[in-house]
Amino acid sequence: MPREVPPPTKPEAAGKTVFPEGVDVYRAYLGEEQQRALVQTIEGIVAVAPLYRPAMPRTGKLFSISMTNCGPLGWVSDKAGGYRYQPHHPITVAPWPAMPIQLLDLWADLAAYPAPPEACLINHYSIGTQLGSHIDADEEDFNAPVISVSLGDDAVFHVGGTTRNAPKTRIVLRSGDVVVLGGASRKAYHGLDRIHPHSSDIVPRGGRFNLTLRRVTKPGSSR
Ligand code: MD6
Ligand code: FE
């Protein structure tokens, strides 16, 4: 069914939570059919580039969530090498699958940036998993936003400021919501506290996918 693209959901207009400057939340940016189609696309990617649990730098402690990527580059982490981008899956060593057109289109609509995304980190949250407060800081160009797409179970997301102790705003992200972290919030701390189990049937395997689209290199730079 055709649908109109909603405008950014300005929380102050709804008399609700006010997000820090540079945080834009697009509620229900993807309709149900678009969500289901995107989940199918993601499952096709995961079939080729399996989800795995990366390890933290230095300690080697495993993330509770599992990850994979698509696009020319993918974000990885392990004990020895730390956080970085690389062009291949760390276990299969195959190049990451191509970035799907749905995600290239979404970036073109929302990023206000003159070059396409190079990496899409695919996070999968099963019951009881979370992602601690972090800054996305492994990219070369902080002029590009990071854009996230939520699919599946509802999740409690927090975003604060550029220091760890800045006050945090918490919101529930639902399937189809899109979050843009740009401008003054490009390097804001944020994380995912918990998911609400079985709150959506969009992801057949259960849980929640979060896709984050990133520009890694500066356009025109060779790497
Ligand atoms: C999540 N999101 O929603 C985790 N990063 O599961 C992120 O880490 C994130 O939502 C950069 C920009 C937007 C995000
Ligand atoms: Fe992040």
Side-chain angles (χ1 to χ4, degrees), residues 113 115 118 140-143 215-223:
Y113 187 79
E118 294 172 300
E140 289 170 11
D141 193 353
F142 296 116
N143 292 315
R215 179 74 197 185
V216 180
T217 67
K218 292 190 171 140
S221 76
S222 58
R223 181 179 137 146

Side-chain angles (χ1 to χ4, degrees), residues 125-203:
Y125 296 76
S126 52
I127 296 171
T129 64
Q130 47 87 237
L131 180 61
S133 217
H134 66 276
I135 299 176
D136 290 288
D138 304 309
E139 302 76 28
E140 289 170 11
D141 193 353
F142 296 116
N143 292 315
V146 178
I147 300 185
S148 90
V149 182
S150 293
L151 294 167
D153 284 344
D154 297 352
V156 181
F157 176 77
H158 71 259
V159 57
T162 53
T163 57
R164 251 189 204 285
N165 56 6
K168 291 177 172 61
T169 302
R170 282 189 162 73
I171 57 167
V172 174
L173 293 179
R174 297 190 180 80
S175 195
D177 289 352
V178 170
V179 177
V180 180
L181 288 193
S185 287
R186 176 60 181 79
K187 286 189 264 186
Y189 279 93
H190 60 277
L192 205 285
D193 299 342
R194 61 186 296 266
I195 66 168
H196 293 318
H198 312 299
S199 49
S200 163
D201 71 354
I202 292 288
V203 174

